[in-house]
Amino acid sequence: MREEIKRLAGLQAIDQELRAQERELAKISAQVDDLQTRVEQQAAELEQLKAEEKNGAVARRELERTLAEGEVQIRNKRMRLSLIKNDRELQAVGHEVELLKETNQRIEAELLARMDGGEQQAARLKELSEALERDRAALKDAQKAIAGEIEQLRTRVAQRRREREMLAAQIDAAMRQRYETIFDRRGGNAVVPVKAGTCQGCRMRIPPQLFNLIQRYEAIHFCPNCQRILYYEADKETEA
Ligand SMILES: [Zn+2]
């Protein structure tokens, strides 16, 4: 029975390693997925910014055109002013010139604000383009790395599986099945020592009679509380 317990413990060590490798692989995959999502989001944001910049440029050109037209109108009216003799007409055209000037000042202010905004947008666009380029490169590297890691991991897993099969074949089938059930239900920890009379899986005190039986290795015993497979491990004090 001592040997059977050893085989079960060996099986557990392999199963724990396999489980850790699977988790590691899932973690790496998740990191790559996160990076991929970020790259996609950045690309979408960049496209939107580019469209906004284009619209902004069109709006600026339109404002510039309106401004130039306004200036032409002001010039024309001023020329007319020098030809007018009638006071009332003079006043009316003078008023029109003032209004046109006010309108042009407003347009000018808006144009300046838009130019400012355009500069900020261009800076953000540049920043985002660079970030996107960096992340795309990182994604490519990560994908390459993960491909290599997957390959290595597959080789290791295949080797461990062969070892596991050989070991599992030496263990009583019913016991192996029971072990596998416990392993799945108890978080990958199915074979545990009893130390100082306590199950190291659930920290329950083992009845003295059972503890004696465990130490004799005549049969395989299970924790009455957590059902894990128990083996005896001498206390540090008594070993020394
Ligand atoms: Zn227990």
Side-chain angles (χ1 to χ4, degrees):
M1 276 309 135
R2 208 182 276 264
E3 289 307 307
E4 185 81 339
I5 294 263
K6 266 190 194 163
R7 284 191 286 270
L8 281 166
L11 198 62
Q12 171 165 279
I14 291 172
D15 286 341
Q16 282 172 347
E17 199 185 328
L18 282 168
R19 182 179 273 217
Q21 282 165 346
E22 276 159 20
R23 287 205 176 130
E24 180 64 21
L25 194 59
K27 207 175 83 185
I28 302 165
S29 301
Q31 281 168 355
V32 174
D33 288 348
D34 283 352
L35 201 54
Q36 173 106 43
T37 306
R38 204 165 78 196
V39 164
E40 279 163 13
Q41 280 170 350
Q42 280 172 339
E45 202 187 331
L46 195 63
E47 282 312 304
Q48 203 191 336
L49 265 181
K50 276 181 182 165
E52 278 170 19
E53 203 194 31
K54 210 172 141 190
N55 290 341
V58 169
R60 279 200 302 276
R61 274 199 298 279
E62 179 64 22
L63 281 174
E64 277 163 359
R65 203 179 54 76
T66 312
L67 197 61
E69 270 174 18
E71 271 158 13
V72 168
Q73 277 182 314
I74 291 170
R75 257 202 316 277
N76 289 344
K77 282 197 192 295
R78 273 187 177 144
M79 277 194 323
R80 255 182 72 198
L81 273 177
S82 60
L83 303 172
I84 294 169
K85 304 279 185 274
N86 180 315
D87 267 359
R88 265 178 69 182
E89 206 186 336
L90 202 62
Q91 211 177 3
V93 177
H95 185 61
E96 280 172 26
V97 170
E98 284 312 307
L99 283 180
L100 278 168
K101 273 162 78 180
E102 277 172 30
T103 304
N104 259 19
Q105 273 165 4
R106 262 204 317 279
I107 294 171
E108 218 164 30
E110 198 189 330
L111 190 60
L112 282 175
R114 275 186 180 274
M115 281 163 103
D116 249 15
E119 273 170 28
Q120 281 169 18
Q121 213 169 29
R124 173 84 189 111
L125 205 64
K126 183 166 176 278
E127 194 184 302
L128 201 62
S129 299
E130 284 167 3
L132 183 61
E133 208 173 308
R134 271 199 309 275
D135 283 348
R136 273 199 175 129
L139 179 63
K140 222 169 132 186
D141 284 350
Q143 280 167 338
K144 217 158 84 183
I146 197 182
E149 262 187 79
I150 287 171
E151 196 50 46
Q152 279 180 10
L153 215 52
R154 272 196 191 135
T155 310
R156 281 209 299 273
V157 166
Q159 192 189 335
R160 283 283 172 278
R161 290 221 176 279
R162 278 196 300 276
E163 284 172 26
R164 188 191 192 279
E165 263 172 49
M166 276 163 60
L167 196 58
Q170 298 169 43
I171 300 168
D172 171 72
M175 183 56 66
R176 202 176 67 215
Q177 209 164 23
R178 190 158 175 182
Y179 153 82
E180 278 161 4
T181 306
I182 304 168
F183 187 87
D184 284 341
R185 288 198 189 147
R186 298 288 180 201
N189 197 18
V191 188
V192 297
V194 180
K195 266 197 214 165
T198 306
C199 165
Q200 296 302 295
C202 69
R203 305 281 154 185
M204 236 325 242
R205 191 135 197 101
I206 300 300
Q209 180 128 24
L210 179 59
F211 188 46
N212 286 338
L213 289 171
I214 290 165
Q215 288 181 72
R216 275 191 230 154
Y217 283 104
E218 283 166 0
I220 288 173
H221 297 282
F222 303 88
C223 172
N225 181 50
C226 69
Q227 278 75 49
R228 286 186 176 93
I229 298 162
L230 298 173
Y231 64 91
Y232 171 66
E233 195 171 279
D235 300 336
K236 286 244 157 63
E237 304 89 276
T238 52
E239 268 176 356

